[in-house]
Amino acid sequence: MTPDLLAPLDLAFWNIESAQHPMHLGALGVFEAHSPTAGAHAADLLAARAAAVPGLRMRIRDVWQPLDPFAFGSAAREPAPDFEPLDHVRLHAPTADFHTVAGRLMERPLERGRPPWEAHVLPGEDGVSFAVLFKFHHALADGLRALMLAAAIMDPMDMPEPRPRPAEPPRGLFPDLRKLPGLVRGTLSDVGRALDIGTSVARATLGVRSTPALTSQPTGTRRTAGVALDLDEVHRVRKTVGGTVNDVLIAVVAGALRRWLDERGDGSDGVTPRALIPVSRRRPRTAHPQGNRLSGYLIHLPVDDPDPLGRLRTVRTAMDRNKDAGPHRGAGAVALLADHVPPLGHRLGGPVVGQAARLLFDILVTSVPLPSLGLKLGGCPLAEVYPFAPLARGQALAVAVSTYRGRVHYGLVADAEAVPDLDLLARALTEEVETLIIACGS
């Protein structure tokens, strides 16, 4: 079987991982339980259904093909010959705090010798709820792909199926000479784009004051928190001020950071941390189902602005400017540079790139799409879902946001030692929405 080589960005995620900075995505789903045994039943269902999902059987292995410059030093997906779903689905003891357990589980890297995903079922002590923590390595799936894999082992529902990408002809050692002029033009264009992005990254690192609260010496510890907000309230702000829902959600993060920094005594004056806002370059119905297709926008969060509406206007202006430039330009498109690095470069330079993340951005704020239809597991409705993003080396906090059935869910992941008061930041998110509503006169 021909190996399915990882796309350059997948390979980058695979190689920048370390024991203290695992590169997996997570999502904590909280379900309404119809009986005290609903959690155990859910674990049985997940294990039984996982065996029938091809994407969950895929492991990642190193590829060394000296005669193929496109594969030497790369890695590939292939079916695991000894796949055992029970190794990936685990039932835990009942708990009163899903996030405390989720934080400890997010610390643990996925085992690289087998399919890199896990599902942890956490029964609630109250007997009326249970949670499932899904973990997917970023080299296996981006947010949309992870959603599709998780949905495939939930109760059956109508999900949009991606159309298969047309098969590409096998690559030889040398390009087709008839296509050489076009390849040269494309390469020159790519080099110019890479230089533009590199210049933008360099400019973005100048004259910006961040805060020690968003940086961390790697400890390998993790803490998670989540907060659910009313989507209608977010829309009320958007309709009053303009812009998009995403603009409001990012401005809420800026305002919450200001409250949190002031409350803990770090101060917010002059603080404008750089936020990386990932942008998906795939379309659900047409994109190839595997491989990360990501770019990003880079903006300075106006944490230092005391006016909540001023913060929102600043975010809106910055996002509009990024959209006008497009996801292929600017410092936020740094992920696209992965396409210009050969596989061996990713393997040798992965640790260096991982350490450089804090030079490029201070905090990740990402949005994860969810279907509008209600999800169920064993007949139990999914009531809440908190997405979790990987935490880059040198950074203390990452924020992921999803909207689901009229609610906005913020999932926070932090270095547990650097941010022992993550619950205060979660509370500040709720307070910031209330402040925006008052400022809008709603």
Side-chain angles (χ1 to χ4, degrees), residues 49-67:
R49 293 170 178 174
V53 180
L56 296 178
R57 304 175 62 93
M58 304 298 286
R59 69 176 181 181
I60 296 175
R61 67 173 180 87
D62 293 336
V63 174
W64 295 96
Q65 297 182 9
L67 297 181

Side-chain angles (χ1 to χ4, degrees), residues 181-228:
L183 290 173
V184 170
R185 286 194 300 271
T187 299
L188 291 175
S189 176
D190 288 346
V191 170
R193 180 183 300 165
L195 289 174
D196 284 347
I197 295 171
T199 302
S200 297
V201 169
R203 285 199 300 263
T205 61
L206 298 176
V208 177
R209 184 192 163 202
S210 184
T211 171
L214 297 179
T215 61
S216 169
Q217 293 298 320
T219 69
T221 61
R222 293 292 181 271
R223 185 184 305 273
T224 73
V227 61

Side-chain angles (χ1 to χ4, degrees), residues 117-141:
W117 70 274
E118 292 174 352
H120 298 269
V121 181
L122 316 175
E125 284 185 353
D126 55 14
V128 299
S129 64
F130 67 89
V132 179
L133 175 68
F134 289 102
K135 294 168 56 178
F136 295 95
H137 199 286
H138 220 327
L140 178 70

